[in-house]
Amino acid sequence: DTAVSQTPKYLVTQMGNDKSIKCEQNLGHDTMYWYKQDSKKFLKIMFSYNNKELIINETVPNRFSPKSPDKAHLNLHINSLELGDSAVYFCASSLETGRRYGYTFGSGTRLTVV
Amino acid sequence: DAKTTQPTSMDCAEGRAANLPCNHSTISGNEYVYWYRQIHSQGPQYIIHGLKNNETNEMASLIITEDRKSSTLILPHATLRDTAVYYCIVSRRGNEKLTFGTGTRLTIIP
């Protein structure tokens, strides 16, 4: 199936831990994103990568570090997790040229910090 | 990017056309209107976008007023699976950052 896939789907962890969320797309897209959706359901962009280069960093704490080993993957590593990091994290991808077909989003990773 | 205003919620009877309005009175000439929806617990899904002409695809139609200050997303024959939050977003084409507002919660009633 062609898609944006994220793992894990659910992640429950204790404060202070370090965790990673993985994202892969097989759509041939060249731009990938991480969005955060908080408990009030606001969707906010965190990062954007184009061909492995960081192009957007939206004032996200430096405990969050995205890593793009190739243009099909964009992983999110979070250090020293805090309660406020609990949210649903969505990965997305798009074709740079014209954004003709919009973004394709993954199904999300629900992170719960306890 | 221009700000958008949408009703908080709407209901529509199953089988009828659902018309979702969006105001974007500060839209500039190079900004497109994009529509996405988010079905409960899923990632947002792209629906359609347009600049100034009306657009139609297999999911919906987009009607943009001549002054481009407002638009309407039309789901021609709503089904229960169309129950979702619908987001109207205005953005320059090629802008990597889509800014989501609060959207319209559309409920399709059997």
Side-chain angles (χ1 to χ4, degrees):
Chain A
D1 285 346
T2 53
V4 177
S5 56
Q6 298 177 225
T7 54
K9 191 168 175 63
Y10 300 96
L11 183 54
V12 181
T13 188
Q14 290 187 321
M15 281 176 58
N17 284 351
D18 303 338
K19 289 293 178 186
S20 292
I21 306 172
K22 295 186 176 180
C23 179
E24 175 182 6
Q25 55 93 6
N26 60 4
L27 298 162
H29 290 173
D30 45 26
T31 307
M32 296 185 72
Y33 314 80
W34 277 108
Y35 275 78
K36 178 181 178 180
Q37 188 166 40
D38 60 24
S39 56
K40 295 183 179 177
K41 303 296 185 185
F42 288 116
L43 263 166
K44 292 183 183 175
I45 191 166
M46 300 173 69
F47 300 103
S48 171
Y49 268 74
N50 177 263
N51 280 320
K52 303 194 297 175
E53 271 193 52
L54 179 67
I55 52 176
I56 293 176
N57 180 341
E58 282 290 303
T59 322
V60 177
N62 57 16
R63 297 183 296 104
F64 290 78
S65 53
K67 295 261 186 324
S68 181
D70 55 62
K71 74 174 193 177
H73 295 84
L74 181 61
N75 303 323
L76 184 65
H77 188 76
I78 315 170
N79 288 328
S80 304
L81 277 155
E82 301 177 356
L83 294 177
D85 298 331
S86 295
V88 182
Y89 292 84
F90 289 101
C91 179
S93 69
S94 69
L95 263 177
E96 181 178 13
T97 308
R99 302 273 182 270
R100 184 166 181 80
Y101 300 107
Y103 288 26
T104 301
F105 282 81
S107 55
T109 296
R110 182 173 295 276
L111 171 65
T112 305
V113 182
V114 297
Chain B
D1 291 335
K3 185 181 158 115
T4 63
T5 305
Q6 298 176 252
T8 304
S9 62
M10 292 179 64
D11 293 340
C12 178
E14 187 179 15
R16 306 297 290 265
N19 297 288
L20 291 95
C22 179
N23 285 324
H24 31 79
S25 58
T26 60
I27 192 170
S28 59
N30 63 350
E31 288 180 318
Y32 285 69
V33 180
Y34 292 83
W35 283 85
Y36 283 76
R37 73 180 181 183
Q38 187 174 22
I39 296 169
H40 180 63
S41 298
Q42 297 181 22
Q45 177 189 23
Y46 166 81
I47 301 172
I48 199 167
H49 76 278
L51 182 62
K52 52 185 177 181
N53 297 322
N54 297 338
E55 302 286 345
T56 296
N57 63 19
E58 64 279 2
M59 289 182 70
S61 294
L62 174 60
I63 309 297
I64 302 174
T65 57
E66 194 166 338
D67 63 8
R68 302 209 323 123
K69 292 186 177 182
S70 66
S71 60
T72 302
L73 178 75
I74 301 172
L75 308 177
H77 305 287
T79 71
L80 297 178
R81 286 181 293 182
D82 292 322
T83 292
V85 177
Y86 286 77
Y87 297 97
C88 169
I89 300 165
V90 171
S91 181
R92 285 180 296 109
R93 190 161 178 173
N95 182 10
E96 282 72 22
K97 185 169 71 172
L98 283 183
T99 302
F100 288 79
T102 53
T104 296
R105 181 172 296 279
L106 174 68
T107 303
I108 306 302
I109 300 175

